[in-house]
Amino acid sequence: MAYAALIGAEVKRKEDPRLIRGTGTYVGDLKLPGMLYVALVRSPYPHARIGVIDRSAAEAMPGVVAVITGADLQDSYDLMPSASSGEGGGGAVQTTRTRYPLSVGVVRHAGEAVAAVIASSLPEAIDAAEAVQVDWEPLPSVADPLRALEPDAPILFAGMPNNIDHSRKRVKGDADATFAAAHRVVKQRIVSQRLFGMPMEGRAVVAAPDAATGGITLWSSTQTPHQIRGEVAAVLRMHDSQVRVIAPDVGGGFGVKIGVYPEEPLLGILAVRLNTPMRWVESRLEHVFATTHGRAQVADLEAAVLADGTISALRMRLVADLGAYPLAPGLPDLTTAMATGVYNIPVVDLEAICVYTNTTPVAAYRGAGRPEAAYYIERMIDLVAAELDLDPAQVRRVNFIPPDAFPYKTATGLKYDSGDYDRALTKALEIADYEGLRAEQAARRVQGDSAGAAPVPLLGIGMSCYVEMCGFGPYESAQIKVDPSGSVTVNTGISPHGQGTGTTFAQIVADQIGADFERIVVRHGDTATTPMGVGTMGSRSLAVGGGALSRAATRLRAKICKIAAYMLEASEADVELIEGSYQVRGAPESRLTLAQIAKRAHSSKLPAEIESGMEETDFFRPSDLIYPFGAHVAVVEIDPDTGDVRVRAYYSVDDCGPRISPMIVAGQVHGGLAQGIAQALLEEVVYDEGGQLLSGSLMDYALPRADFFPTFTLDETVTPTPLNPLGVKGIGEAATVGSTPAIANAVIDALRHIGVRHIDIPMRSEKVWHALQIRRG
């Protein structure tokens, strides 16, 4: 069977219209006739020269077809692009600070691939990879971004004077004068630790040669299939039309599946060279070494404050760890852009310094630059409240941007579309019974101070008010096709992977053109069948992809009404859609179903002025970004003997504009809360000073379980945006942005009365216990 025909047979779609359409196959389970399996030889050193690679023992092992090194392929493809794995960063660029899909000459982080073993089965490939001998020459390395800035730090890229990729300042107003006139200056160094994405489903790639085009078909667990097509084609020196990318059932993404990875062009060129399909499936150990990490920032902040808690100026010097390669160098700039949060802070002096270290590259992870900004400013608000002995809610209200100020231009240059921050905070405090919690906290402290009393759990109440930047462009696409039977196919350029967007898109189409919800199929993730799109990231699917869909549906409905008016012998202006039928206003007995109209649209019985067919395509280009927001309240209890933190209750009020699918919104909020709370209390990637990973297994990297969380209490305010047809804002990352600072503030609030001012996250029990001992001692 020809590969082109085989590919067509392998991508049969599910038929349940309420599910987003994948292939029904996880990439790692996909099998093609004649398929070979790839295992990679990866560097055990964080920085080393690659010497002689002895593959003789591996080549002699059973099932081994070939052992390929970077030198073997160097002249056959180009370098990997950089800046391809962020959000809103403008796309991939070419730079010399990169590597080939199989590295040549030097490796700059542990886990970098230098050779590929191809075998008849995966176990045979893995065994043979372990038999490949590499003559490594270890080089000095650096893992701490602050150490990487020092003059004597090892340099990652020859020819660079230091390890700084770039720095960017955002300055408005006279910071020196404002700080000099301040009632108080509040300072704090705050760390946003490095995290793994850790989706349950790792990355996987299958590549097959395409005889029809001389190119390849690539199945990849990616969030951005069209982007991958372009970037793989560039590396392999092919035209885009020679590369077909299919993103089947991706599973979890969380940002770490944005952009091209070395395995995608590598398997593509191997498939072409050997003229047979290739499969690579990431192991969990490979995930922690070779899939991008998130966060990894150190921020030094200063706030100039007045006596009532008003923040008159903000300074921040941010050091952002890019890891070994600049895959998302623009993300720290998003952090400084969002540094003022929901607050009217008129004067800023902000700088982001982006540095290289001998660690796995850092790129997008749920929120990508915005959770860091929210964490910094929300901690600073609580630090100001503590410094002035004010209630944290009072300090927030003094500084809020008022609702009548929108659209509002921040001191960092952003234009917020709409917001009502006080309303969200007020609702969150009401549903949490904030006054009752404060009374309970006071009573516990009195009880704890009683002589001879048994230890009483310390109660902490934390809050955060966040705003998030989302809805990145430059555009998104949607296509609606109604066939003669009235069933509908939606093709979208976004590439969802579990968010439930297919259900939401089907709802939009059913509502706007009167289609039967059960007969709507939503397809995505195949560059051969969907219109050119950007993909799923940055909470953009509904705001931008849904905007394109709504516009296409509006135009299609106009055509449907025109055909219905012709069939009903009525004025087009008198045709209206009521409960799934098109009828003449005031004459409900004159009605037509979508199926009846669609059948006529595909017949010869149309007037000359109406084109045959019933389909529309739209590319929606938003005029600006959108800014969802919300307010969270966390309640924690701390065991004073062990430092163990228990989240007793959590209240989340999120404003994403109108909610088309409330249950799906709730699911996104739940997931975001889990990841944000886990950052505050559990998760942390740890390297030794030289760049060896110390937290590389789930024995060492703490992930939360379901019983770690309380039942979440969710609520909403509704503030539409004027910047897209649906008025909606993103929700996929919002809860992650708000939850980390809420939990951190709650823990510090529980300890504030004994003098604890700040603890860096994750606030694991040993850190909290240590802080308790220091204050008691």
Side-chain angles (χ1 to χ4, degrees):
M1 183 182 241
Y3 282 119
L6 174 65
I7 288 163
E10 286 292 334
V11 292
K12 291 180 181 177
R13 307 289 180 166
K14 295 176 182 176
E15 293 305 322
D16 182 349
R18 289 159 293 190
L19 296 178
I20 196 72
R21 292 302 178 263
T23 63
T25 303
Y26 169 57
V27 184
D29 295 328
L30 185 62
K31 296 180 181 179
L32 302 177
M35 177 178 284
L36 297 177
Y37 298 80
V38 177
L40 298 175
V41 179
R42 298 186 181 274
S43 171
Y45 295 99
H47 200 192
R49 287 192 180 90
I50 306 166
V52 175
I53 299 178
D54 183 356
R55 45 191 158 185
S56 57
E59 289 174 330
M61 295 179 70
V64 173
V65 175
V67 179
I68 307 294
T69 70
D72 296 331
L73 300 175
Q74 185 174 358
D75 295 333
S76 302
Y77 54 21
D78 290 330
L79 291 164
M80 295 289 295
S82 294
S84 69
S85 301
E87 294 180 357
V93 297
Q94 290 295 334
T95 173
T96 56
R97 300 170 196 170
T98 182
R99 76 286 203 205
Y100 288 99
L102 286 179
S103 293
V104 176
V106 176
V107 292
R108 295 180 177 87
H109 71 87
E112 200 165 331
V114 299
V117 175
I118 305 166
S120 300
S121 70
L122 183 57
E124 288 171 325
I126 293 172
D127 288 345
E130 293 176 355
V132 175
Q133 298 296 312
V134 182
D135 183 15
W136 301 103
E137 181 188 340
L139 298 172
S141 56
V142 60
D144 184 341
L146 300 180
R147 168 75 179 110
L149 288 172
E150 296 176 2
D152 63 340
I155 303 297
L156 270 72
F157 292 96
M160 288 185 63
N162 52 44
N163 289 312
I164 298 175
D165 175 85
H166 75 279
S167 62
R168 180 177 178 181
K169 289 189 174 183
R170 298 180 189 269
V171 177
K172 184 176 182 183
D174 189 338
D176 290 341
T178 307
F179 272 87
H183 173 69
R184 298 275 179 87
V185 174
V186 179
K187 302 180 180 182
Q188 185 63 48
R189 169 170 286 184
I190 303 177
V191 176
S192 183
Q193 77 275 28
R194 181 183 285 245
L195 302 174
F196 293 136
M198 203 63 77
M200 287 190 291
E201 306 84 359
R203 292 187 296 117
V205 181
V206 170
D210 185 344
T213 65
I216 58 169
T217 295
L218 198 72
W219 289 263
S220 179
S221 51
T222 179
Q223 299 174 225
T224 54
H226 285 94
Q227 177 186 343
I228 296 300
R229 179 185 67 176
E231 292 175 354
V232 168
V235 174
L236 298 185
R237 303 169 186 167
M238 294 180 177
H239 302 298
D240 284 9
S241 59
Q242 291 179 283
V243 178
R244 178 184 184 184
V245 175
I246 300 170
D249 291 344
V250 172
F254 314 126
V256 302
K257 294 178 182 176
I258 298 172
V260 68
Y261 279 92
E263 293 83 8
E264 286 150 335
L266 174 62
L267 263 72
I269 196 167
L270 294 178
V272 170
R273 281 204 166 195
L274 277 71
N275 195 33
T276 193
M278 298 282 169
R279 181 176 115 174
W280 168 82
V281 180
E282 177 184 73
S283 70
R284 185 56 61 184
L285 188 60
E286 283 181 301
H287 175 78
V288 302
F289 277 109
T291 293
T292 56
H293 299 171
R295 311 290 191 254
Q297 296 182 356
V298 180
D300 290 297
L301 295 112
E302 299 179 39
V305 299
L306 307 182
D308 67 349
T310 298
I311 299 177
S312 54
L314 181 69
R315 280 192 180 122
M316 178 167 66
R317 181 179 183 269
L318 177 72
V319 177
D321 186 351
L322 299 182
Y325 297 103
L327 298 191
L331 293 186
D333 298 330
L334 299 185
T335 302
T336 56
M338 298 297 298
T340 57
V342 297
Y343 305 110
N344 180 19
I345 302 176
V347 177
V348 297
D349 182 359
L350 315 171
E351 182 180 20
I353 304 169
C354 301
V355 302
Y356 295 116
T357 62
N358 293 112
T359 59
T360 298
V362 174
Y365 172 67
R366 199 166 189 167
R370 288 91 81 199
E372 298 92 316
Y375 174 51
Y376 302 146
I377 191 63
E378 288 304 299
R379 280 297 299 126
M380 290 301 291
I381 290 286
D382 268 37
L383 286 163
V384 168
E387 179 74 19
L388 301 177
D389 196 24
L390 298 173
D391 188 281
Q394 177 185 347
V395 175
R396 285 172 170 80
R397 287 184 163 128
V398 165
N399 287 284
F400 277 149
I401 300 165
D404 59 2
F406 292 91
Y408 174 83
K409 188 170 184 180
T410 71
T412 63
L414 301 180
K415 185 180 178 182
Y416 290 177
D417 55 341
S418 61
D420 191 341
Y421 306 138
D422 197 311
R423 181 170 58 146
L425 177 61
T426 297
K427 176 168 275 193
L429 296 179
E430 286 176 354
I431 64 175
D433 186 17
Y434 183 62
E435 292 184 2
L437 288 170
R438 286 297 181 200
E440 180 187 353
Q441 183 184 59
R444 286 197 186 198
R445 288 176 178 173
V446 170
Q447 183 181 355
D449 291 339
S450 301
V456 177
L458 306 174
L459 183 67
I461 306 114
M463 66 189 73
S464 72
C465 297
Y466 73 89
V467 60
E468 197 225 341
M469 167 199 297
C470 68
F472 297 103
Y475 66 89
E476 197 48 84
S477 62
Q479 181 184 63
I480 307 173
K481 296 181 178 182
V482 184
D483 67 27
S485 70
S487 61
V488 179
T489 299
V490 174
N491 293 313
T492 173
I494 65 167
S495 188
H497 38 277
Q499 293 91 339
T501 315
T503 299
T504 303
F505 277 18
Q507 286 179 273
I508 292 171
V509 172
D511 289 344
Q512 293 202 17
I513 69 170
D516 181 350
F517 180 78
E518 298 296 333
R519 298 179 66 190
I520 300 172
V521 173
V522 180
R523 301 182 187 275
H524 69 88
D526 185 342
T527 61
T529 62
T530 58
M532 184 70 187
V534 176
T536 294
M537 69 191 95
S539 302
R540 67 185 303 277
S541 294
L542 183 58
V544 190
L549 185 67
S550 177
R551 284 160 42 111
T554 298
R555 291 201 300 270
L556 189 59
R557 179 168 167 174
K559 182 175 183 178
I560 295 168
C561 286
K562 183 177 291 188
I563 298 173
Y566 173 76
M567 295 173 67
L568 294 170
E569 299 180 344
S571 167
E572 187 179 332
D574 290 334
V575 176
E576 55 187 0
L577 174 62
I578 297 177
E579 296 181 355
S581 295
Y582 289 82
Q583 63 186 51
V584 178
R585 183 178 293 107
E589 67 281 357
S590 299
R591 64 173 63 203
L592 295 169
T593 66
L594 179 63
Q596 291 172 307
I597 303 169
K599 185 176 181 179
R600 178 65 65 91
H602 292 89
S603 74
S604 60
K605 299 177 181 179
L606 282 178
E609 65 270 19
I610 300 179
E611 291 185 358
S612 296
M614 192 174 285
E615 60 183 69
E616 282 288 346
T617 300
D618 186 81
F619 286 79
F620 174 53
R621 188 169 63 236
S623 60
D624 209 334
L625 297 171
I626 53 178
Y627 296 87
F629 62 91
H632 292 191
V633 176
V635 183
V636 304
E637 292 183 329
I638 299 175
D639 186 324
D641 291 331
T642 66
D644 183 62
V645 179
R646 182 178 74 89
V647 183
R648 190 179 88 176
Y650 199 97
Y651 304 89
S652 177
V653 175
D654 301 287
D655 194 317
C656 58
R659 299 188 176 193
I660 294 174
S661 302
M663 185 178 295
I664 288 174
V665 171
Q668 288 295 299
V669 172
H670 281 198
L673 292 178
Q675 288 179 292
I677 294 170
Q679 179 178 4
L681 296 178
L682 295 177
E683 297 184 39
E684 183 178 24
V685 176
V686 180
Y687 285 94
D688 71 12
E689 62 182 14
Q692 289 291 356
L693 187 61
L694 301 180
S695 57
S697 77
L698 295 179
M699 294 289 289
D700 307 298
Y701 186 86
L703 287 175
R705 301 186 307 180
D707 60 3
F708 183 76
F709 303 107
T711 298
F712 301 132
T713 301
L714 310 185
D715 214 318
E716 65 176 318
T717 59
V718 180
T719 309
T721 179
L723 299 182
N724 64 60
L726 298 169
V728 297
K729 301 186 179 188
I731 193 62
E733 299 163 306
T736 307
V737 177
S739 53
T740 300
I743 291 290
N745 285 338
V747 172
I748 300 303
D749 181 73
L751 306 173
R752 176 177 165 182
H753 68 296
I754 61 171
V756 176
R757 186 173 182 275
H758 181 75
I759 301 172
D760 274 327
I761 55 174
M763 295 177 175
R764 294 189 293 259
S765 57
E766 68 272 20
K767 283 186 182 179
V768 177
W769 180 86
H770 187 65
L772 284 164
Q773 303 315 303
I774 290 175
R775 300 311 303 177
R776 288 168 175 168

